[in-house]
Structure formats: structure tokens, C-alpha cells
Amino acid sequence: MADAERMASADTEAIIQQQEAEAREQERREALQDAFHTVLKSTTKEWKGGYPLNLAFLEWFYQEYGEECVEELAEEARAAYSDQNIWYKLTGNTIHVLWTMYCEQTGRFKNQMERVIWQPCASESEITLAFTGDINFGEGQRTTNHMDQCTNGIQDCFSEDLLQVMNDVDVMMVNNEFTYSTRGEALKGKTYTFRAHPDRAKLLHIFGTDIANLANNHVYDFGPDALLDTMAALDQEGIPYIGAGENLEEASKPYYFICNGRKIAITAATQIERSTNYTKEATEDSPGVLKTLNPDKFVEVIEQARKVSDYVIVFVHWGTEGVSDYGWDQYHLAEAFVEAGADAIIGGHTHCLQGFEIMEGVPIIYSLGNFWFNSQTLDTGLAKITIDASGGLTLSFIPCIQKNLRTSLVTEQEEKQRIFAFLQKHSAKGTIVTEEGIVTQELPAVTAETAVRQNLSGQ
């Protein structure tokens, strides 16, 4: 064959190969578009997480995770499934996290990025969050005076192993039961008022604090200017806060932590005061806290957080001081929060521990009491939430003791069991505190007749 003929043959073969490649690419794109449309048309609002998923989102999803993931989604849609977990199974991110990523990377729906923190986790297999009861850095208080006299300051006021636990969890939240300011006057008629110098806010870093609660009855002790100073002091330290704001809209906003591909909302409100009104509720144009004596506003916050999150953690300041048994007011508020979509409820305010309950599958600790607040000897501890690799949420309690102006981790088994027994005594019927401090639910007794029926039915 002449050189010219060989070249012509090679050119023809190259053209054919190019045409075949173009045809395959066209076929691939058509199959991809068909998968896109199948996902968009055949999935429920719940499966989509309620988001306005469209071709732009799926094109982004394809670029991030590839064609195989898109085809898997289409297969899920064709089978008429509504398992929202498919997003996490395919990508390691839930639909709530994927939507947040999409908004962040494309610049669309910028409001979806408000108060979102991408939080690294110590383990890929679980997420841990911990919560404290009341802390007090108020000037002139015995806690603060003692701290100022210690060689190592606040680090001498907590046991080393407790500080290690607090710094090791993925998200650490404290209840900031005072105000940071040098302005304002103590509220007239209020028995106890607490104000710390704004420089004290940096002490929260010793705890590994990731977020602070301001929805309590002492953050307004020196009026609106001092509350504004408190928020400014926390902003200065880069510490997010919830439960208070310059207006009602700000006071109502949760913070969202994205951990190991899951999105967790943390919300806060205060029921206190119930018969007085020293601590002002935020309004449309004035600073204050979010209140939940009437639960409607807070219920709406929880419901909205539920729509855009995998988990909603509710932190609420409620109950009666010095009473270890939770009240009916707390119980009924908890009912409203659970119905609104809470996944766990952490309570505070009473200056003593209260018990647990599991309500419709939602774990509750009614009060963490004090954490480091005064000179009394009191049992205290950390509420710990663990979310495992499968998405299961567990509430547990890490016992501590406040004694001699120092809070320490309880390590002796006998002391641990004493505290667990106290919590068990004050917990709801059917709720169990295990020897490891895990809050669980008593399984219903299986009668002989029931066992026979289950055996016969193959259960």
C-alpha cells in the first residue's frame, strides 16, 4: 500500500474513532440528563430535604461526586424510595450538608450560610458534644476572687482531667450566667446580679468553648448596654453565642455545626423569670433574650431549625431553684419542644441536678445545675451527646463535683454510682441511668403469652 493510501486509511480510522467517542459521550450525557430528570421528578420533598433541588444543583453534585453517584440516586428514585440517608451513604454528607456546600461554593442562597460552623471531629466514627451548667466569673464573687488568687488562675479551679474532657469533645457549650461589661447599673430590686470585666471572656478558651448560651436570667443584670457589651466581648474572642441578641431576630437564631457530614442545630431560650421581668425579652428593635414562658416563639425556632438540620439540640433555662424534682411546667414545655422537632433537650437554672427522661425517643436532662458558680459543695457534671456512625444519638452524663471553689471530674466508682443513683431517683419512670451514665429507656416486660405470640409470628 502506498504511503498516501496508508495515511488516508489512518485518517479515516481516526475519524471513525472520534465519531464513536463523540457518540459514546453523547449517549453518556443523555443518560446523565435522564438520571437528572428522574431524580428531580420522582423524589419526594422529604427525600430532597425540602430544598429547591434543580439541574444546577445536580450538575454541581455530578462535578463533586461523579456520574456513578448520580446514577445511584436515579436508581433510588426509580425504586420510589424515600430514604434520605442515601445522600449520606453515597457521599458521607447528608442532604442538609450537601445543600450548605452547594450554597457556599456557588454563592447562591447566601442566607443558608449564616451561623454555620464547619467543625472538625476527633473521630470519623462519632460526633461528641458536651454542655455545662452555670458558670460565674462575676467580679467580687467568691469564685472569681479565688481564681484571681490561684497561681495558674482558672486552670487551678478545675481538675486537669476535666479540662481535658472538655477540650476533647468536638463541640463544647457553656452556660454563661453573667454579663461582661463595665457599664450599666445593677437592676433595682434584683437580689443577685453578676458582672465580669470584658477581659474575662478569654477565660472561656480554657474550657475549649465552641459556643456560649446567653438565654438565662443573669445576662441582663446590668441592663441593655451591658448585654450588648457581653455579646461584643464574645465576638472579640471569636466565641459564638445563642439565646440573646440585639433584637428578637438575632436572639432567636440557632448556630449550626457541621460535623462528620451531619448538620447539628443548637438553639436556646429561657423560661426564667416566671413571675418577675428583670431580664428583658428581645423585641424587634431592642436587645434582650429569647424567652419561652409562652413556648410559641421558641417552638417556631425549633421547627425552622428542624427543616434545615439533621439534629436539633435544645438548651433551655427553666425550673425552680433548689428543687431536684422537675416540675410540670418543665414537662409540658418539653412536650412542646419534642413535638416541634427537638432531638435532645438540655436544661439548666435550678443550681442543682435534676433527673432524666426519654420522651417519644428524645433524651432530656431537666437540669445540669451549677458547674462552677459558688462556694457550695454540689454534685454537677457534663451532659454529653454522642452521635455514632449510623446516626444514632445518645445522651450520657459525666459526673463532677463542685467543692472548695473547684470543680473536678469524679473518678471513684462509688462516688459515680452515688450521683447516678441520685439522678435515677429524680428521673421519669421508665428512664434508666446505666452504670456508665448513659440515659436509656426501660424495655417493656415481655410476658410469656407475648413471647409465644412473637415466636409464632416469627418476630
Side-chain angles (χ1 to χ4, degrees):
M1 182 182 296
D3 289 344
E5 291 178 341
R6 283 196 295 270
M7 291 178 63
S9 176
D11 289 344
T12 300
E13 184 176 348
I15 291 171
I16 292 172
Q17 289 177 349
Q18 181 178 352
Q19 289 174 339
E20 289 176 346
E22 290 174 351
R24 287 194 299 271
E25 176 62 18
Q26 178 63 26
E27 184 178 345
R28 187 191 69 79
R29 289 299 301 176
E30 288 176 358
L32 187 61
Q33 290 297 317
D34 179 64
F36 285 169
H37 288 292
T38 299
V39 171
L40 294 176
K41 292 180 180 180
S42 304
T43 57
T44 65
K45 183 177 180 181
E46 180 184 9
W47 195 78
K48 297 177 184 178
Y51 298 110
L53 304 191
N54 53 24
L55 283 174
F57 171 83
L58 289 179
E59 286 283 3
W60 169 85
F61 183 86
Y62 161 67
Q63 293 296 329
E64 289 291 315
Y65 297 102
E67 189 172 344
E68 185 175 342
C69 275
V70 174
E71 286 293 347
E72 288 278 357
L73 285 177
E75 285 300 316
E76 186 87 357
R78 292 187 188 102
Y81 293 156
S82 58
D83 183 9
Q84 199 178 90
N85 289 328
I86 186 64
W87 303 96
Y88 187 82
K89 291 175 183 176
L90 291 176
T91 71
N93 295 298
T94 67
I95 184 59
H96 299 295
V97 176
L98 290 168
W99 181 255
T100 307
M101 293 169 61
Y102 169 69
C103 293
E104 182 180 57
Q105 293 180 25
T106 63
R108 302 185 181 188
F109 305 99
K110 292 183 179 180
N111 64 317
Q112 297 289 317
M113 297 308 303
E114 289 184 7
R115 297 193 173 206
V116 173
I117 298 174
W118 299 84
Q119 191 80 343
C121 294
S123 168
E124 294 182 359
S125 61
E126 67 177 19
I127 305 163
T128 56
L129 307 92
F131 306 81
T132 77
D134 304 347
I135 63 169
N136 187 2
F137 298 154
E139 308 299 335
Q141 301 302 310
R142 291 193 64 183
T143 46
T144 310
N145 292 341
H146 173 71
M147 173 178 64
D148 290 341
Q149 294 168 5
C150 290
T151 303
N152 299 305
I154 195 171
Q155 288 180 300
D156 289 341
C157 301
F158 294 84
S159 65
E160 185 176 347
D161 51 2
L162 174 55
L163 290 176
Q164 189 65 55
V165 169
M166 297 175 75
N167 279 271
D168 283 349
V169 295
D170 300 319
V171 179
M172 182 70 238
M173 178 168 165
V174 302
N175 182 38
N176 199 106
E177 185 87 353
F178 57 95
T179 188
Y180 297 101
S181 183
T182 58
R183 297 194 296 165
E185 298 292 333
L187 297 180
K188 186 177 180 180
K190 191 169 187 182
T191 305
Y192 299 105
T193 54
F194 307 119
R195 178 174 61 175
H197 192 280
D199 286 348
R200 302 278 191 189
K202 66 172 61 74
L203 298 174
L204 295 179
H205 294 302
I206 302 298
F207 302 141
T209 303
D210 296 294
I211 185 169
N213 171 54
L214 298 183
N216 57 60
N217 59 305
H218 285 293
V219 76
Y220 200 91
D221 280 355
F222 286 77
D225 288 340
L227 173 59
L228 293 173
D229 289 345
T230 298
M231 295 184 288
L234 293 171
D235 286 336
Q236 178 69 29
E237 294 302 320
I239 297 174
Y241 54 85
I242 52 174
E246 295 184 8
N247 51 53
L248 182 59
E249 181 182 5
E250 290 296 316
S252 302
K253 288 180 179 179
Y255 253 95
Y256 301 92
F257 288 85
I258 294 180
C259 309
N260 285 352
R262 304 184 190 276
K263 189 176 180 184
I264 304 166
I266 304 181
T267 65
T270 175
Q271 179 209 30
I272 310 300
E273 298 95 3
R274 292 173 295 186
S275 58
T276 59
N277 193 30
Y278 293 113
T279 305
K280 300 301 180 184
E281 182 172 18
T283 68
E284 291 183 3
D285 55 7
S286 65
V289 299
L290 177 62
K291 290 196 172 183
T292 188
L293 183 59
N294 179 328
D296 293 351
K297 291 177 185 176
F298 194 35
V299 161
E300 185 176 349
V301 169
I302 297 168
E303 289 174 340
Q304 292 302 313
R306 171 82 279 156
K307 293 177 182 179
V308 296
S309 307
D310 298 296
Y311 304 90
V312 180
I313 311 302
V314 170
F315 195 97
V316 57
H317 211 66
W318 59 2
T320 301
E321 291 187 14
V323 178
S324 297
D325 292 310
Y326 61 88
W328 281 108
D329 56 337
Q330 293 168 273
Y331 177 84
H332 290 308
L333 283 174
E335 283 186 315
F337 302 155
V338 169
E339 185 176 353
D343 290 288
I345 300 173
I346 312 294
H349 170 67
T350 60
H351 299 299
C352 62
L353 292 176
Q354 292 183 332
F356 299 95
E357 180 162 7
I358 295 183
M359 182 183 291
E360 302 295 329
V362 175
I364 303 165
I365 179 167
Y366 279 102
S367 183
L368 285 167
N370 289 345
F371 189 65
W372 188 68
F373 192 80
N374 55 29
S375 60
Q376 295 178 357
T377 298
L378 291 172
D379 293 332
T380 182
L382 297 171
K384 182 180 179 182
I385 289 174
T386 303
I387 300 171
D388 63 26
S390 68
L393 184 150
T394 302
L395 175 64
S396 60
F397 185 78
I398 302 174
C400 303
I401 189 165
Q402 175 191 272
K403 184 178 182 180
N404 296 328
L405 296 164
R406 188 172 191 262
T407 300
S408 302
L409 194 68
V410 173
T411 57
E412 295 180 1
Q413 285 300 318
E414 187 175 342
E415 275 293 277
K416 283 185 180 182
Q417 298 311 314
R418 178 187 63 77
I419 296 173
F420 292 154
F422 175 87
L423 289 166
Q424 181 67 72
K425 177 182 177 182
H426 295 280
S427 293
K429 183 178 180 181
T431 299
I432 302 298
V433 185
T434 72
E435 292 184 355
E436 294 77 31
I438 297 171
V439 182
T440 186
Q441 201 159 23
E442 185 178 26
L443 296 175
V446 179
T447 65
E449 182 180 358
T450 303
V452 170
R453 287 177 179 174
Q454 289 178 347
N455 185 54
L456 291 174
S457 63
Q459 295 181 21

